[in-house]
Amino acid sequence: MKKIISIAFVALIAASTVFAGISGYSNLGFGFNSSNGKFGFNPASALSVDIDIASDSASNVGEGDVYAGISGSVALRLVDAVGVDPSGNDTGAVEYPYNAANDTNVYSVGVFAFINEAYVAGQDWKVAFGTKSSNPVDFAKSAIDTYKTALKDAYETPFWVKDANVSYKAPYTSNAGVNATIKGFTVGAGFVGTKGETDTTVGYTAYALTPDFAFGGANAKFGAVVSKANKATANTSIGASAQIAFAQDAFSAKAAADFGFENVDGESAVHFDVAGNVKYDFVSADIYYVDYAKVTTYSLVDWAPVKGSKEYEDLLSAKATLDLASFDVPVSLTIKGKDLINSQDLSASAKIAVSDAVKVTVGGGYNIKSEKISASAGVEYSAEKFTASADVSFSIKGETKTLVPTVVVSSDALINGATVELSWKPNTDGTNSTTTNLLDKDADYGKFYATVKLGF
């Protein structure tokens, strides 16, 4: 039914609906975007609602050295009868629960039954049924290189963007299966098959993780995964990970690596990444390398997350930090070398704590491949009622000069339960590249907004 709910149905909801959960946010801004010339109010919001017209649940946990536990529920619920993905494409599936972010204007009512948890357990072990298989075999992550990914609500709807660390792990498919933990060892497996008219296909994922093994003052852990999609053309992929860490007094070190043998029975490829960290008192260093990784990215366009992708090849980065606070000097120095094989982006910065309330940052860099020279400066001020920051970056590449500002004043104390913000921020395009430049009359001058954000 399209936007039509009978009086009887309305009465039923009014009489018997129980809101099992409601969450969302509203972010209202007023300002001007110099990139597209738009000005006025620019709202962003999301709402997710669980509506149980009628529901019931039950559970049972056994006793003894070996026991079983199970809990389940059944509910009559309002659903979005035609599902769409975040891009607005029809998935052809019923969506539960109703979500304002993928509203299709087509509603219905359905009976849903769930097994919330089912397991058999004993001392130091537990086997859970019905869990989704995944790939937690991912130990190495970059502490230097980041990309933009999506923040998602409880129902996997993207609503904002955040930074994520570049990482590689073997590809996998997610299927329902089992998960077992025995004395710190974890194994999980799931599979699904399809019997066709001429052939049968099977997809699966299985993984294993060890606990930390202690030896000679060090700790080590390992993991392995194997996966294949439920498609006739799919090939098997195998992955493995290892990590070792050592700590004593003021010294600590950690190294981790992930490997993937993709498409074992086809046009195979081997990919891997490694990450290392060493710290001694006030000095620390990080290094990361990945031969190839492809990640899903999101860029924020008019406050809405837009999906994309990015590839990294022969990415080698390193960082060293010197914190002089140990010598009562309120200065922290950082030197970075990003993508040292390809773009060779070198930079250095210093953060100075002028007082408890004021911090100043200055920095500079040089990209060898593009011959781009950059400089930056910023100041942070923290008060009882608000925080304020102002940053500016300047760069020269050939004949092009770029000046990019960022000014933010925000407060959580002015309005109880809300965040108020005044900002002047640069614009970005669909690839997260900055389009704002105060020195280019043909470029935009950023966006100016006063916003109030409320969440629940």
Side-chain angles (χ1 to χ4, degrees):
M1 62 189 75
K2 294 182 175 292
K3 293 293 187 183
I4 299 176
I5 301 178
S6 67
I7 297 176
F9 185 48
V10 173
L12 175 61
I13 291 180
S16 61
T17 294
V18 176
F19 288 89
I22 178 171
S23 63
Y25 72 92
S26 179
N27 189 346
L28 178 63
F30 180 84
F32 171 68
N33 188 324
S34 65
S35 175
N36 51 28
K38 291 183 178 180
F39 58 92
F41 290 104
N42 192 352
S45 62
L47 179 65
S48 295
V49 183
D50 294 0
I51 300 181
D52 286 5
I53 300 173
S55 63
D56 200 0
S57 62
S59 63
N60 181 34
V61 178
E63 298 179 353
D65 295 334
V66 178
Y67 58 93
I70 186 171
S71 65
S73 59
V74 62
L76 181 66
R77 285 169 168 158
L78 177 68
V79 299
D80 192 348
V82 179
V84 295
D85 62 20
S87 299
N89 301 313
D90 188 349
T91 64
V94 172
E95 293 287 334
Y96 170 78
Y98 164 76
N99 193 314
N102 59 7
D103 189 355
T104 61
N105 299 330
V106 182
Y107 310 116
S108 185
V109 177
V111 176
F112 294 83
F114 304 96
I115 296 295
N116 301 320
E117 185 181 30
Y119 60 88
V120 176
Q123 185 176 4
D124 298 329
W125 65 271
K126 182 177 182 179
V127 178
F129 309 142
T131 59
K132 281 282 188 180
S133 60
S134 60
N135 181 11
V137 185
D138 182 17
F139 296 168
K141 299 179 185 294
S142 177
I144 309 152
D145 311 282
T146 61
Y147 63 95
K148 297 294 184 182
T149 188
L151 278 170
K152 298 181 179 181
D153 61 20
Y155 310 110
E156 293 299 305
T157 301
F159 65 90
W160 206 249
V161 299
K162 66 172 183 176
D163 288 334
N165 301 93
V166 175
S167 178
Y168 169 80
K169 64 180 177 180
Y172 73 97
T173 59
S174 181
N175 304 303
V178 297
N179 177 286
T181 301
I182 305 171
K183 292 187 179 296
F185 290 86
T186 299
V187 294
F191 79 95
V192 63
T194 302
K195 182 173 177 55
E197 294 182 359
T198 58
D199 57 6
T200 299
T201 60
V202 176
Y204 59 86
T205 293
Y207 66 87
L209 295 169
T210 72
D212 285 333
F213 296 112
F215 59 94
N219 290 283
K221 64 178 182 179
F222 307 91
V225 62
V226 58
S227 184
K228 180 180 179 296
N230 182 30
K231 298 178 181 178
T233 58
N235 294 313
T236 304
S237 293
I238 300 172
S241 295
Q243 177 179 296
I244 184 169
F246 176 83
Q248 186 176 29
D249 299 327
F251 175 80
S252 64
K254 182 172 71 173
D258 305 309
F259 302 90
F261 191 7
E262 301 181 11
N263 302 327
V264 175
D265 36 11
E267 295 183 4
S268 61
V270 177
H271 297 302
F272 69 95
D273 67 346
V274 292
N277 169 265
V278 177
K279 183 177 182 180
Y280 179 75
D281 197 7
F282 55 89
V283 180
S284 66
D286 293 275
I287 188 169
Y288 178 78
Y289 173 78
V290 60
D291 75 315
Y292 176 81
K294 184 177 181 180
V295 299
T296 300
T297 65
Y298 284 85
S299 56
L300 206 58
V301 179
D302 286 336
W303 290 9
V306 177
K307 189 176 182 179
S309 65
K310 187 174 183 179
E311 296 183 9
Y312 298 90
E313 189 169 359
D314 284 330
L315 175 66
L316 173 64
S317 298
K319 178 179 72 172
T321 301
L322 179 66
D323 190 351
L324 301 179
S326 301
F327 303 97
D328 295 326
V329 178
V331 177
S332 176
L333 304 173
T334 301
I335 300 174
K336 289 183 182 179
K338 299 181 68 174
D339 202 5
L340 294 171
I341 296 176
N342 302 303
S343 65
Q344 298 173 310
D345 191 0
L346 310 177
S347 65
S349 63
K351 190 169 187 177
I352 307 165
V354 179
S355 66
D356 291 339
V358 179
K359 295 180 176 63
V360 176
T361 304
V362 293
Y366 179 62
N367 190 302
I368 296 176
K369 183 177 181 179
S370 64
E371 298 183 344
K372 180 180 179 180
I373 302 172
S374 61
S376 61
V379 60
E380 302 175 21
Y381 178 73
S382 301
E384 182 180 356
K385 295 289 186 179
F386 68 93
T387 60
S389 65
D391 298 274
V392 61
S393 63
F394 174 75
S395 65
I396 301 176
K397 181 181 177 181
E399 299 297 323
T400 303
K401 298 179 181 179
T402 304
L403 184 65
V404 181
T406 302
V407 180
V408 178
V409 179
S410 64
S411 174
D412 295 325
L414 296 179
I415 303 176
N416 187 23
T419 299
V420 180
E421 181 180 286
L422 300 175
S423 65
W424 177 19
K425 297 179 180 179
N427 283 307
T428 58
D429 59 19
T431 64
N432 288 311
S433 298
T434 301
T435 61
T436 298
N437 182 8
L438 299 185
L439 303 180
D440 185 355
K441 65 178 181 179
D442 295 325
D444 67 74
Y445 296 97
K447 50 191 175 186
F448 309 82
Y449 271 93
T451 62
V452 180
K453 184 173 183 177
L454 301 89
F456 57 89

